[in-house]
Amino acid sequence: MLKLLRVIAVVVAAIAICLVGTIYALIRLRHPSSVGVVARAFGSLHRLVGLKLIIRGKQNEVQPAIYIGNHQNNYDMLSIASMVPPRTVSVGKRSLIWIPFFGLVYWATGNIFIHREKRSSAINTMNKVADIIKEQQVSIWMFPEGTRSRGRGLLPFKTGAFHTAIAAGVPIVPVVCSSLHNKIDLNRWDNGTAICEMLEPIDTAGYNRENIKELIEKCHTLMANKLAELDQEVAQLEQKN
Protein backbone atom coordinates (compact mmCIF):
# COMPACT_ATOMS: atom_id res chain seq x y z
CA MET A 1 0.00 0.00 0.00
CA LEU A 2 2.80 2.44 0.88
CA LYS A 3 4.49 1.76 -2.45
CA LEU A 4 1.29 2.44 -4.39
CA LEU A 5 0.65 5.68 -2.53
CA ARG A 6 4.20 6.83 -3.15
CA VAL A 7 4.07 6.01 -6.84
CA ILE A 8 0.83 7.95 -7.21
CA ALA A 9 2.20 10.90 -5.23
CA VAL A 10 5.45 11.08 -7.21
CA VAL A 11 3.71 10.72 -10.59
CA VAL A 12 1.13 13.40 -9.78
CA ALA A 13 3.79 15.75 -8.40
CA ALA A 14 6.09 15.15 -11.39
CA ILE A 15 3.31 15.87 -13.90
CA ALA A 16 2.42 19.05 -12.00
CA ILE A 17 6.06 20.18 -12.04
CA CYS A 18 6.27 19.49 -15.79
CA LEU A 19 3.10 21.42 -16.61
CA VAL A 20 3.77 24.38 -14.32
CA GLY A 21 7.44 24.36 -15.29
CA THR A 22 6.60 24.49 -19.00
CA ILE A 23 4.34 27.51 -18.53
CA TYR A 24 6.91 29.18 -16.26
CA ALA A 25 9.73 28.60 -18.75
CA LEU A 26 7.74 29.90 -21.73
CA ILE A 27 6.69 33.02 -19.82
CA ARG A 28 10.40 33.64 -19.12
CA LEU A 29 11.14 33.14 -22.82
CA ARG A 30 13.18 29.98 -22.11
CA HIS A 31 15.56 31.80 -19.76
CA PRO A 32 18.50 29.50 -18.89
CA SER A 33 17.81 29.70 -15.15
CA SER A 34 14.46 27.96 -15.71
CA VAL A 35 16.26 24.61 -15.97
CA GLY A 36 17.63 24.94 -12.44
CA VAL A 37 14.27 25.99 -11.03
CA VAL A 38 12.53 22.94 -12.50
CA ALA A 39 15.42 20.60 -11.62
CA ARG A 40 15.39 21.71 -7.99
CA ALA A 41 11.60 21.23 -7.91
CA PHE A 42 12.11 17.62 -9.00
CA GLY A 43 14.88 17.27 -6.43
CA SER A 44 12.50 18.26 -3.65
CA LEU A 45 10.50 15.09 -4.29
CA HIS A 46 13.09 12.99 -2.44
CA ARG A 47 10.95 13.37 0.68
CA LEU A 48 8.10 11.47 -0.99
CA VAL A 49 10.23 8.32 -1.23
CA GLY A 50 11.55 8.52 2.33
CA LEU A 51 15.02 9.74 1.40
CA LYS A 52 16.95 12.34 3.39
CA LEU A 53 19.16 14.49 1.16
CA ILE A 54 22.26 16.37 2.32
CA ILE A 55 23.59 19.01 -0.08
CA ARG A 56 27.11 20.41 0.12
CA GLY A 57 29.53 22.59 -1.77
CA LYS A 58 27.13 25.00 -3.44
CA GLN A 59 29.68 27.72 -2.67
CA ASN A 60 31.74 26.21 -5.52
CA GLU A 61 29.23 27.35 -8.13
CA VAL A 62 30.93 29.33 -10.90
CA GLN A 63 29.61 30.84 -14.11
CA PRO A 64 30.13 29.85 -16.82
CA ALA A 65 31.36 26.26 -16.35
CA ILE A 66 30.78 22.66 -17.34
CA TYR A 67 29.14 20.77 -14.46
CA ILE A 68 29.62 17.00 -14.59
CA GLY A 69 27.65 14.60 -12.40
CA ASN A 70 27.55 10.86 -11.83
CA HIS A 71 24.56 9.25 -13.55
CA GLN A 72 23.09 6.35 -11.53
CA ASN A 73 19.41 5.66 -12.15
CA ASN A 74 15.98 7.29 -12.33
CA TYR A 75 16.32 8.50 -8.74
CA ASP A 76 18.88 11.04 -10.00
CA MET A 77 15.85 13.25 -10.63
CA LEU A 78 15.14 13.25 -6.88
CA SER A 79 18.71 13.75 -5.73
CA ILE A 80 21.50 15.18 -7.88
CA ALA A 81 18.94 17.30 -9.77
CA SER A 82 18.89 19.52 -6.67
CA MET A 83 22.46 20.59 -7.49
CA VAL A 84 21.76 22.29 -10.85
CA PRO A 85 22.86 25.96 -10.49
CA PRO A 86 21.16 29.03 -12.02
CA ARG A 87 21.93 29.86 -15.68
CA THR A 88 22.73 26.20 -16.35
CA VAL A 89 21.22 24.08 -19.11
CA SER A 90 21.83 20.43 -19.92
CA VAL A 91 22.70 18.46 -23.04
CA GLY A 92 20.50 15.43 -23.68
CA LYS A 93 19.58 12.98 -26.41
CA ARG A 94 16.80 13.99 -28.81
CA SER A 95 14.60 11.05 -27.78
CA LEU A 96 13.94 12.79 -24.44
CA ILE A 97 11.47 15.10 -26.16
CA TRP A 98 9.08 12.17 -26.70
CA ILE A 99 8.72 11.40 -22.98
CA PRO A 100 5.18 12.48 -21.98
CA PHE A 101 5.13 15.77 -20.04
CA PHE A 102 8.87 15.66 -19.28
CA GLY A 103 9.92 16.08 -22.91
CA LEU A 104 7.87 19.26 -23.15
CA VAL A 105 9.36 20.88 -20.05
CA TYR A 106 12.84 19.74 -21.09
CA TRP A 107 12.44 21.60 -24.38
CA ALA A 108 10.66 24.64 -22.89
CA THR A 109 13.38 25.28 -20.32
CA GLY A 110 15.99 25.65 -23.06
CA ASN A 111 18.05 22.48 -22.80
CA ILE A 112 20.20 21.42 -25.75
CA PHE A 113 19.42 18.30 -27.78
CA ILE A 114 22.11 16.12 -29.34
CA HIS A 115 22.07 13.27 -31.90
CA ARG A 116 24.17 10.61 -30.16
CA GLU A 117 23.72 8.13 -32.99
CA LYS A 118 25.45 10.40 -35.47
CA ARG A 119 29.04 11.16 -34.44
CA SER A 120 29.40 14.08 -36.88
CA SER A 121 26.16 15.63 -35.62
CA ALA A 122 27.22 15.16 -31.99
CA ILE A 123 30.60 16.82 -32.62
CA ASN A 124 28.95 19.76 -34.39
CA THR A 125 26.50 20.12 -31.50
CA MET A 126 29.29 20.18 -28.92
CA ASN A 127 31.11 22.85 -30.94
CA LYS A 128 27.90 24.89 -30.96
CA VAL A 129 27.58 24.34 -27.21
CA ALA A 130 31.03 25.88 -26.70
CA ASP A 131 29.90 28.91 -28.73
CA ILE A 132 26.69 29.18 -26.70
CA ILE A 133 28.68 29.15 -23.45
CA LYS A 134 30.88 32.01 -24.64
CA GLU A 135 28.13 34.08 -26.23
CA GLN A 136 25.39 33.68 -23.61
CA GLN A 137 27.58 33.16 -20.53
CA VAL A 138 25.69 30.06 -19.45
CA SER A 139 26.87 26.84 -17.84
CA ILE A 140 26.24 23.31 -19.08
CA TRP A 141 25.27 20.27 -17.03
CA MET A 142 26.39 16.91 -18.41
CA PHE A 143 26.64 13.26 -17.35
CA PRO A 144 30.02 12.23 -18.83
CA GLU A 145 29.35 8.51 -18.32
CA GLY A 146 26.77 8.81 -21.08
CA THR A 147 24.43 6.25 -19.50
CA ARG A 148 23.12 5.19 -16.10
CA SER A 149 25.62 3.16 -14.09
CA ARG A 150 22.96 1.08 -12.28
CA GLY A 151 25.28 -0.13 -9.52
CA ARG A 152 28.38 -0.64 -11.67
CA GLY A 153 30.32 2.16 -9.99
CA LEU A 154 31.55 5.22 -11.85
CA LEU A 155 31.68 4.22 -15.52
CA PRO A 156 34.37 5.48 -17.96
CA PHE A 157 33.85 9.04 -19.16
CA LYS A 158 33.09 10.05 -22.72
CA THR A 159 35.09 13.01 -24.09
CA GLY A 160 32.32 15.45 -25.08
CA ALA A 161 32.12 17.45 -21.84
CA PHE A 162 35.88 17.88 -21.70
CA HIS A 163 36.32 18.92 -25.34
CA THR A 164 33.56 21.48 -24.80
CA ALA A 165 35.13 22.88 -21.62
CA ILE A 166 38.50 23.29 -23.34
CA ALA A 167 36.95 24.87 -26.45
CA ALA A 168 34.91 27.30 -24.36
CA GLY A 169 37.78 28.03 -21.98
CA VAL A 170 35.71 27.33 -18.86
CA PRO A 171 36.39 25.22 -15.75
CA ILE A 172 34.87 21.83 -14.99
CA VAL A 173 32.94 21.45 -11.74
CA PRO A 174 32.40 17.82 -10.62
CA VAL A 175 29.22 16.99 -8.71
CA VAL A 176 28.94 13.64 -6.93
CA CYS A 177 25.98 11.94 -5.29
CA SER A 178 26.39 8.93 -3.01
CA SER A 179 25.27 5.54 -4.32
CA LEU A 180 21.55 5.07 -4.91
CA HIS A 181 21.60 1.54 -6.39
CA ASN A 182 19.16 -0.73 -4.52
CA LYS A 183 18.89 1.93 -1.83
CA ILE A 184 15.23 2.89 -2.16
CA ASP A 185 12.42 0.47 -1.33
CA LEU A 186 9.11 2.22 -1.86
CA ASN A 187 7.47 -0.09 0.70
CA ARG A 188 9.96 1.04 3.35
CA TRP A 189 9.14 4.23 5.26
CA ASP A 190 12.74 5.35 5.85
CA ASN A 191 15.18 4.92 2.95
CA GLY A 192 18.14 6.49 4.63
CA THR A 193 20.40 9.30 3.52
CA ALA A 194 22.01 10.44 0.29
CA ILE A 195 24.72 13.09 0.08
CA CYS A 196 25.31 15.25 -2.99
CA GLU A 197 28.45 17.34 -3.03
CA MET A 198 29.81 19.90 -5.47
CA LEU A 199 33.60 19.73 -5.70
CA GLU A 200 35.98 22.61 -6.38
CA PRO A 201 36.29 23.85 -9.99
CA ILE A 202 39.03 22.32 -12.14
CA ASP A 203 40.88 24.75 -14.39
CA THR A 204 41.09 23.58 -18.01
CA ALA A 205 43.49 26.28 -19.21
CA GLY A 206 46.47 23.92 -19.44
CA TYR A 207 44.69 21.25 -21.46
CA ASN A 208 44.17 20.64 -25.18
CA ARG A 209 43.39 17.78 -27.56
CA GLU A 210 46.80 16.23 -26.97
CA ASN A 211 46.51 15.88 -23.19
CA ILE A 212 42.72 15.74 -22.77
CA LYS A 213 43.00 12.17 -21.45
CA GLU A 214 44.90 13.54 -18.45
CA LEU A 215 42.01 15.90 -17.69
CA ILE A 216 39.47 13.09 -18.03
CA GLU A 217 41.48 10.79 -15.76
CA LYS A 218 41.91 13.56 -13.19
CA CYS A 219 38.17 14.23 -13.05
CA HIS A 220 37.27 10.54 -12.98
CA THR A 221 39.70 9.82 -10.14
CA LEU A 222 38.45 12.78 -8.09
CA MET A 223 34.83 11.74 -8.54
CA ALA A 224 35.46 8.04 -7.89
CA ASN A 225 37.33 8.87 -4.67
CA LYS A 226 34.60 11.26 -3.56
CA LEU A 227 31.91 8.67 -4.31
CA ALA A 228 33.68 6.11 -2.12
CA GLU A 229 34.10 8.74 0.61
CA LEU A 230 30.43 9.71 0.54
CA ASP A 231 29.29 6.08 0.55
CA GLN A 232 31.38 5.44 3.63
CA GLU A 233 29.97 8.52 5.37
CA VAL A 234 26.40 7.51 4.52
CA ALA A 235 27.04 4.01 5.91
CA GLN A 236 28.30 5.51 9.18
CA LEU A 237 25.34 7.90 9.44
CA GLU A 238 22.82 5.14 8.86
CA GLN A 239 24.58 2.83 11.31
CA LYS A 240 24.16 5.44 14.02
CA ASN A 241 20.46 5.73 13.27
Side-chain angles (χ1 to χ4, degrees):
M1 179 60 74
L2 179 58
K3 180 177 181 178
L4 178 61
L5 291 174
R6 276 177 164 163
V7 169
I8 293 173
V10 170
V11 169
V12 170
I15 291 175
I17 290 171
C18 288
L19 294 176
V20 174
T22 297
I23 296 171
Y24 172 79
L26 292 177
I27 290 174
R28 299 188 75 193
L29 302 176
R30 303 182 76 200
H31 190 281
S33 287
S34 297
V35 175
V37 171
V38 172
R40 291 188 291 276
F42 274 110
S44 68
L45 301 184
H46 65 270
R47 300 178 183 87
L48 294 181
V49 299
L51 185 68
K52 179 183 178 182
L53 188 63
I54 298 174
I55 292 175
R56 296 177 183 154
K58 296 285 277 186
Q59 72 275 6
N60 292 326
E61 290 180 6
V62 293
Q63 293 286 344
I66 299 287
Y67 289 87
I68 56 172
N70 57 321
H71 199 11
Q72 302 188 62
N73 52 37
N74 292 338
Y75 289 113
D76 289 343
M77 289 296 296
L78 312 186
S79 53
I80 202 169
S82 300
M83 304 297 287
V84 178
R87 293 194 64 81
T88 301
V89 299
S90 71
V91 176
K93 54 187 179 181
R94 284 185 177 273
S95 59
L96 289 174
I97 201 169
W98 301 112
I99 299 176
F101 301 106
F102 179 78
L104 185 59
V105 74
Y106 192 83
W107 167 80
T109 47
N111 293 291
I112 301 169
F113 291 98
I114 184 173
H115 253 315
R116 284 185 181 168
E117 295 79 10
K118 298 181 179 179
R119 179 174 173 78
S120 59
S121 175
I123 292 173
N124 289 336
T125 300
M126 298 315 297
N127 289 334
K128 291 178 182 177
V129 169
D131 292 335
I132 290 172
I133 293 171
K134 289 184 282 188
E135 293 168 5
Q136 301 182 19
Q137 291 295 291
V138 296
S139 293
I140 304 294
W141 180 282
M142 298 182 72
F143 291 114
E145 293 164 281
T147 188
R148 297 174 182 86
S149 59
R150 301 190 187 281
R152 293 172 289 172
L154 192 65
L155 300 180
F157 287 170
K158 297 183 181 300
T159 61
F162 306 93
H163 278 298
T164 305
I166 292 171
V170 298
I172 290 174
V173 183
V175 183
V176 183
C177 186
S178 59
S179 296
L180 299 170
H181 183 64
N182 289 337
K183 184 176 183 65
I184 297 174
D185 179 351
L186 294 179
N187 276 319
R188 185 171 55 209
W189 184 257
D190 184 359
N191 281 302
T193 301
I195 304 174
C196 293
E197 184 169 338
M198 187 174 292
L199 281 59
E200 294 184 5
I202 298 171
D203 188 7
T204 60
Y207 296 95
N208 51 49
R209 288 188 176 184
E210 283 67 40
N211 62 358
I212 192 171
K213 287 185 178 180
E214 295 177 15
L215 175 61
I216 295 173
E217 290 173 3
K218 178 178 182 178
C219 293
H220 192 280
T221 299
L222 282 171
M223 292 179 68
N225 290 341
K226 176 56 68 172
L227 178 58
E229 179 184 316
L230 293 180
D231 284 348
Q232 184 177 11
E233 183 178 353
V234 167
Q236 292 173 348
L237 286 173
E238 293 180 345
Q239 192 173 23
K240 291 178 181 178
N241 296 332

